[in-house]
Structure formats: structure tokens, C-alpha cells
Amino acid sequence: MINKTLLIYLIVGGAALGVGGTTGVVVKRVTGSEQVIYKGFDINNYIMDSDNLLIEFENYHGSSPERQFTVAELINISLEKYRRCENSWSQGIGLADTIVKQTIRNAQVKNGNQYYEESISHSDMVSVANKVYQTGVGTEIKLYSGTNVSTENANFGSTPKIFASEDYKKSYGKTLDEMFIYLICNETVNSGECKKQDDGSYVITCELDTVISTYMYKYQMKTLSNLDGLPTFSYVKLKYVVSSDFMLKTCEVDEKFEARMGVPATIRNTITYTYHPNEYLKIPEPNEKFNYSK
């Protein structure tokens, strides 16, 4: 029997999707399905130089970027182009499948230097919701926790929990301006391909390694559910659709992992994210509902 509180773990924070990197890490994998223990890990070794990547991409005038750039590079180019939009918003709709089925709703809004994220996860057994606000980079972050949670809404109080930027990142994996939770680089993409479509758009598919790419994500999950240790992933599969100029449009996530709170639970998340670059959307107040029907 799975502890009900363990199911809180199913919530996914923010617009969970990627960054990049290079070079080594010392990792000790514990026998069986126990957690991975990270030693000597430096996340900066796995963050690709998106600034230079974007310059290289903009200076490329050939007709086959899918041949000129690696899958990891193309993903990071798309993520960085989206991250640089003055205004943007996205939503994620999905399902966590374990002993019960749990709905997942995520939203992200950026208006200039104003950032907003919300995560709502609901089932008949347990539900959890958070709204998070940030102004600027490296500034304090406000987190509101929800009660009376339904599939797409909750009641949020008027008093947030305040985090320093670095403290929030240690607990939740990333700050709001970073936007994406996976570490995506040439070393963490186990397999992938990029195909051009008839309409000029591109479909990028990849399967990530389960140790390094999920590093930030694991700490986010552990914090959300007070897990006994970091979760372990069986697989992470991503399918991106980007425009002809590699602006992010959609991403489909299929991932499977094991979490432990006294007893283990195996969970499969399937989530579809839709991105709206260069579109303005008013950031909701804590007591305002985000409209997932858009």
C-alpha cells in the first residue's frame, strides 16, 4: 500500500524542460533501485554556452541546421530563444500514473522581468498546488501554497513563503528566470534526431540519460514531497516541435521514475507543454485562476 503523502511527489514544478553542458562528473550509483549519490558534481560542467550557440546559429546561412548542429545544440538554441522573449507564457497538461491517476497542470508567464509559475496536481487521494513569483534575477522568490485543490484551481492564502534566490534553487532545482529543469547537453542526450516537416517546422526527439539530466529535477521532487532520498529515473523521453527558425512551440514529456517515502512507488508522467513566445499574458494574482482552456 502506497503512503498517500508520497503521491504529492507527482506534482511537477513550473515549465519543466532543459538547459545544457560539457565535461565530467563523479557519480556513485547505489546498488538496486536506491538513489544515485552525487559526488564532486558541478552543474556548470553541464550547462551549454547558449549565448555562443545562438550567435553561431544566427550566423549559419545553410539549409540544413539539423545536420550542422547536434540535437542537444538545437534544443538549447530553441530554449534560449524562448527564454529571451520579452513576454511569453506556457502551459502544461498531463497525467501521473501510479496506484491512482493524478492530473498535472503547470503554467509559466514572463512579462519583462516579472516571472510567474504555478503547479497543480490533483487526485482522489491527495492534491497539492503552488504559485511562485519572482521579479528580476537573483532576487527573492515568493511561494504561495494552495488548499482545497481541484484539477485546475486551488485556494491560495495571502502570506507567501519567502526564499532567497540561491536557497530556492537548492530546494526547487531552478529559479523562475531559468525556466527549464532538465540538464540537456551533448553528454546527456543518449539518442535523438531532428527532422524537418513539410510546413518548415522541425520535430526534435531525444532520450536523456537518467542520472545527470535529472539532477535539478530530483531535488525539486524531493523537496515537494519530503522524500526519503532522491528519486531514480527509468527513462526520460522528450519530443519538441519548433518553428522554422527554431523557436520553441511544444514539448511532449514521457518519463518514468521511482520515489520512496517509507515504501517505493513507480510513477509515469506524460505531459504536453504548449509555448507562446512573444505573447503577453497578465500574471495572475494569488487568488486568480489561470485559464487552462486557452
Side-chain angles (χ1 to χ4, degrees):
M1 180 65 178
I2 296 177
N3 186 328
K4 290 183 179 181
T5 56
L6 176 56
L7 298 179
I8 294 175
Y9 170 75
L10 304 179
I11 190 168
V12 180
L17 285 172
V19 286
T22 51
T23 73
V25 62
V26 179
V27 178
K28 180 180 179 183
R29 184 187 294 276
V30 179
T31 304
S33 61
E34 299 294 326
Q35 72 176 41
V36 174
I37 297 175
Y38 295 86
K39 290 187 176 181
F41 185 83
D42 184 353
I43 193 173
N44 294 308
N45 290 333
Y46 294 87
I47 298 176
M48 298 188 86
D49 188 343
S50 295
D51 290 339
N52 282 333
L53 260 181
L54 208 51
I55 291 171
E56 185 179 349
F57 177 77
E58 289 169 349
N59 289 333
Y60 174 73
H61 300 295
S63 59
S64 302
E66 71 275 21
R67 297 178 183 177
Q68 178 70 20
F69 299 90
T70 68
V71 164
E73 289 171 341
L74 291 173
I75 292 172
N76 276 276
I77 287 165
S78 299
L79 300 182
E80 184 62 23
K81 284 171 71 76
Y82 181 80
R83 196 161 27 222
R84 291 188 180 195
C85 294
E86 180 71 10
N87 301 300
S88 65
W89 65 275
S90 69
Q91 65 179 33
I93 296 177
L95 188 70
D97 196 356
T98 181
I99 191 174
V100 297
K101 293 185 185 298
Q102 186 151 343
T103 59
I104 294 171
R105 299 290 184 269
N106 297 319
Q108 163 267 327
V109 183
K110 176 191 175 185
N111 293 337
N113 70 343
Q114 304 286 323
Y115 299 89
Y116 168 82
E117 289 183 0
E118 77 171 40
S119 301
I120 299 175
S121 191
H122 173 73
S123 75
D124 292 337
M125 292 181 68
V126 66
S127 299
V128 63
N130 288 323
K131 288 192 175 191
V132 191
Y133 297 81
Q134 176 184 325
T135 300
V137 176
T139 57
E140 69 177 22
I141 294 174
K142 299 178 180 180
L143 185 149
Y144 295 81
S145 297
T147 59
N148 300 321
V149 182
S150 63
T151 299
E152 296 184 353
N153 199 19
N155 294 332
F156 293 88
S158 59
T159 305
K161 185 174 182 179
I162 308 295
F163 293 85
S165 179
E166 283 304 309
D167 291 338
Y168 184 85
K169 185 169 182 174
K170 288 177 183 176
S171 295
Y172 291 91
K174 65 173 184 63
T175 55
L176 276 63
D177 58 289
E178 292 174 305
M179 293 191 182
F180 305 105
I181 198 73
Y182 295 120
L183 285 167
I184 298 178
C185 60
N186 290 326
E187 288 76 11
T188 64
V189 174
N190 286 343
S191 62
E193 63 178 359
C194 177
K195 290 185 176 181
K196 189 172 185 177
Q197 306 302 293
D198 291 340
D199 64 357
S201 66
Y202 292 84
V203 175
I204 309 172
T205 57
C206 68
E207 184 162 357
L208 302 180
D209 99 289
T210 59
V211 175
I212 304 302
S213 70
T214 57
Y215 174 77
M216 299 186 298
Y217 196 13
K218 289 173 180 176
Y219 282 97
Q220 181 188 82
M221 291 174 163
K222 186 176 185 296
T223 297
L224 285 168
S225 297
N226 193 28
L227 298 178
D228 294 342
L230 299 179
T232 55
F233 279 75
S234 301
Y235 64 80
V236 178
K237 300 175 182 179
L238 307 177
K239 178 183 177 181
Y240 295 91
V241 176
V242 301
S243 64
S244 59
D245 62 349
F246 282 81
M247 177 59 81
L248 188 60
K249 295 175 68 176
T250 66
C251 181
E252 296 176 17
V253 178
D254 182 1
E255 59 191 13
K256 190 174 184 180
F257 47 86
E258 182 181 277
R260 179 179 291 272
M261 184 184 286
V263 295
T266 298
I267 301 117
R268 181 187 179 194
N269 280 350
T270 51
I271 310 170
T272 298
Y273 294 92
T274 305
Y275 297 90
H276 299 266
N278 301 310
E279 290 187 22
Y280 174 86
L281 186 71
K282 180 181 177 293
I283 290 177
E285 298 294 332
N287 60 354
E288 285 185 296
K289 179 182 181 296
F290 186 90
N291 181 9
Y292 286 95
S293 64
K294 293 188 291 294

